[in-house]
Amino acid sequence: MRKFAVILFILITAFATTKSHAQIIVRDDSIARFDADSLRYAYDKGPYFSFYKDNYFIFGPPIGSKPTVENTNVKFQISFQQKLTRSTLPWNTYLYLFYTQKCFWNILQNSLPMTDLNFNPGIGIARPFFSTRTGQYVGKAFFSIEHESNGRGGEASRSWNRITIGGSVFIDKNIMVSGKFWIPIIDGEHNKDILKYCGIYQTGVQFMTDNRRIGVSVVLTKRRDWNPFHNNLELNFKWRFSSNANQYLFVQYYNGYGEGLLAYKEHHSSLRIGICLSPMFFSEF
């Protein structure tokens, strides 16, 4: 009972502490419409500090194997970005710092251990594109340098760096297609083969309804081999509880390798459910 009380406490705290942020997002009608003008507004006049990827707290068992206290866990992610420039840089670009932290927490075990912590800071330049004819937002290109490690020593240490180039394109106001590839700089002594499991490039599609109540995303990360079907798959579904809130019911299915750095060579297939706090528009992959 104590373990489930911990889960309940965290969920209640997340709901309570995000109320003010939710009001900021949805009270502004120009943003709530989720149209091209609001996207331009977000780049020019939006907050300097904001969410980068989805922030979530989810819990669930493995798929295809017997659930145990070791393989049924909490996965949570914290992700934000900070715009560093008041106005655009040359070529209409924006400079950002970003940070994502992902954690796997075995709350069913006696000591409630956090078995894997992944730290992912970076800096990048983004260049949004608007139609010269209509002024509508059509997508963006970005260049970033990022580091990812688990902060551990010895044989449990995992570390690598990426120079990433990518972009996203809006098919319409509800659908965004993204892709990115990276040039790896692998400095971790115990993860020299990480590309074989964590991939060499990533593609994805995100869909949001007009009222932003429902969102679905599919993310594929291609592992380094010649088989086109060897991908790590992540499916996300989110449903917003209320038009006056930024809390979503969040369901995530993951199948593949590299979900966490410590056990990146192990295949995982898991289904988890919980809550999510979403960026103003689409989440970054």
Side-chain angles (χ1 to χ4, degrees):
M1 290 297 295
R2 182 172 66 90
K3 299 166 185 175
F4 289 101
V6 171
I7 301 175
L8 182 60
F9 172 77
I10 294 174
L11 293 177
I12 293 172
T13 303
F15 274 90
T17 56
T18 55
K19 182 177 179 182
S20 61
H21 175 77
Q23 291 174 334
I24 292 173
I25 290 180
V26 300
R27 294 301 183 188
D28 190 329
D29 291 337
S30 67
I31 295 177
R33 287 200 312 269
F34 190 56
D35 57 17
D37 290 337
S38 64
L39 284 163
R40 183 185 289 274
Y41 175 90
Y43 273 106
D44 294 339
K45 306 295 183 182
Y48 285 89
F49 184 85
S50 61
F51 289 153
Y52 181 55
K53 301 180 181 181
D54 283 330
N55 290 254
Y56 54 76
F57 185 95
I58 52 179
F59 172 80
I63 301 297
S65 59
K66 181 181 178 180
T68 67
V69 295
E70 287 82 16
N71 61 21
T72 303
N73 58 15
V74 162
K75 176 183 178 183
F76 66 84
Q77 177 170 281
I78 300 168
S79 183
F80 54 85
Q81 63 180 354
Q82 172 72 30
K83 188 168 68 172
L84 298 178
T85 51
R86 180 177 296 275
S87 58
T88 57
L89 297 173
W91 303 291
N92 295 319
T93 58
Y94 296 84
L95 183 64
Y96 289 90
L97 281 175
F98 54 87
Y99 177 79
T100 299
Q101 182 172 313
K102 183 168 58 178
C103 177
F104 297 86
W105 188 10
N106 284 26
I107 61 172
L108 299 182
Q109 293 183 280
N110 289 331
S111 60
L112 306 178
M114 292 187 179
T115 56
D116 192 12
L117 279 166
N118 298 172
F119 308 94
N120 182 203
I123 186 169
I125 293 177
R127 204 294 193 180
F129 292 95
F130 298 88
S131 170
T132 56
R133 183 174 60 87
T134 64
Q136 290 185 336
Y137 178 82
V138 295
K140 71 174 182 180
F142 60 84
F143 172 87
S144 63
I145 301 173
E146 55 185 300
H147 168 80
E148 188 175 22
S149 63
N150 64 349
R152 300 178 68 169
E155 294 186 359
S157 174
R158 308 283 187 266
S159 177
W160 67 318
N161 307 284
R162 297 190 293 266
I163 300 173
T164 303
I165 301 171
S168 57
V169 176
F170 274 71
I171 305 302
D172 60 30
K173 64 180 181 179
N174 304 106
I175 302 174
M176 185 181 76
V177 177
S178 298
K180 63 180 181 181
F181 70 93
W182 45 81
I183 301 170
I185 304 171
I186 303 172
D187 54 356
E189 180 182 353
H190 301 287
N191 54 265
K192 296 296 186 181
D193 59 349
I194 195 169
L195 297 182
K196 182 179 177 181
Y197 301 93
C198 293
I200 53 177
Y201 65 84
Q202 190 176 80
T203 57
V205 178
Q206 297 185 67
F207 168 80
M208 291 289 287
T209 56
D210 283 340
N211 60 6
R212 284 186 51 80
R213 293 294 296 273
I214 297 175
V216 180
S217 65
V218 181
V219 184
L220 292 174
T221 304
K222 179 65 182 72
R223 301 196 293 270
R224 191 185 66 179
D225 59 31
W226 294 104
N227 191 325
F229 300 104
H230 285 181
N231 298 280
N232 299 327
L233 169 67
E234 182 180 294
L235 299 177
N236 298 306
F237 170 83
K238 54 187 177 183
W239 173 73
R240 187 157 54 132
F241 298 104
S242 165
S243 59
N244 294 322
N246 188 37
Q247 294 93 15
Y248 291 80
L249 172 70
F250 190 72
V251 181
Q252 183 183 88
Y253 171 71
Y254 190 92
N255 185 279
Y257 298 86
E259 186 178 19
L261 285 180
L262 183 62
Y264 73 94
K265 294 183 181 182
E266 298 178 12
H267 185 273
H268 292 99
S269 182
S270 300
L271 181 67
R272 300 181 179 93
I273 185 169
I275 62 170
C276 170
L277 307 178
S278 183
M280 189 178 298
F281 300 113
F282 288 112
S283 172
E284 299 287 346
F285 290 148

